[in-house]
Amino acid sequence: MDIALDKVCDLIIRARALDVKEGMTDPASGSNPIDDGNLDSLVSSPDDATEQELRDVIGGLNDDERADLVALVYIGRGDMEPEEWGAAVRLAREREQSSSASTADWLIGIPNLGDLLDEGLSLMGRSCV
């Protein structure tokens, strides 16, 4: 893998933080966050930078690192086996060249992205622990 393990682990944390967000459930919330049990921290809002931070990190990766990230998703969701790493990376590069969606858009659109990346790492014999 051309992407450093610490970068993947950082992306897993950021993706999981985004995955737990939900739509506005208390639009009139104006009370103290402590009184609400800090529940609003799990709600998406226009001023929430979680998704943009994830986009910035993905956008800051070089081509090889982005391809590795997508290949980890392929392996993590069972599309390919760890032994097919080279083919997974080639497929990831083809996806980036042929798709109109950016890699960040494509990755952020995947439900449970953090879990898939974690599973891909695990299947490749690596771990964030």
Side-chain angles (χ1 to χ4, degrees), residues 17-86:
L18 185 62
D19 282 343
V20 298
K21 298 284 183 175
E22 60 182 43
M24 186 66 72
T25 56
D26 186 11
S29 178
S31 65
N32 185 328
I34 294 172
D35 292 341
D36 286 344
N38 228 1
L39 293 176
D40 285 344
S41 64
L42 299 177
V43 176
S44 295
S45 65
D47 60 342
D48 182 14
T50 307
E51 182 176 333
Q52 189 57 49
E53 289 172 0
L54 182 57
R55 285 181 184 285
D56 291 345
V57 172
I58 294 168
L61 299 174
N62 66 38
D63 293 344
D64 292 335
E65 292 171 326
R66 281 193 312 274
D68 282 1
L69 203 59
V70 172
L72 279 173
V73 169
Y74 292 155
I75 290 171
R77 69 181 182 192
D79 295 339
M80 303 184 91
E81 298 296 323
E83 300 80 30
E84 300 175 289
W85 178 256

Side-chain angles (χ1 to χ4, degrees), residues 1-12 15 54-55 57-77 85 88-89 92-93 95-96 103-104 106-108 110 113-114 116-118 120-121:
M1 286 190 332
D2 288 325
I3 189 169
L5 182 60
D6 62 329
K7 286 184 181 182
V8 178
C9 294
D10 178 55
L11 283 161
I12 289 170
L54 182 57
R55 285 181 184 285
V57 172
I58 294 168
L61 299 174
N62 66 38
D63 293 344
D64 292 335
E65 292 171 326
R66 281 193 312 274
D68 282 1
L69 203 59
V70 172
L72 279 173
V73 169
Y74 292 155
I75 290 171
R77 69 181 182 192
W85 178 256
V89 171
R93 286 190 176 117
R95 192 221 59 82
E96 187 166 22
T103 299
W106 186 80
L107 287 169
I108 290 171
I110 297 172
L113 173 63
L116 293 175
L117 289 170
D118 192 31
L121 277 180

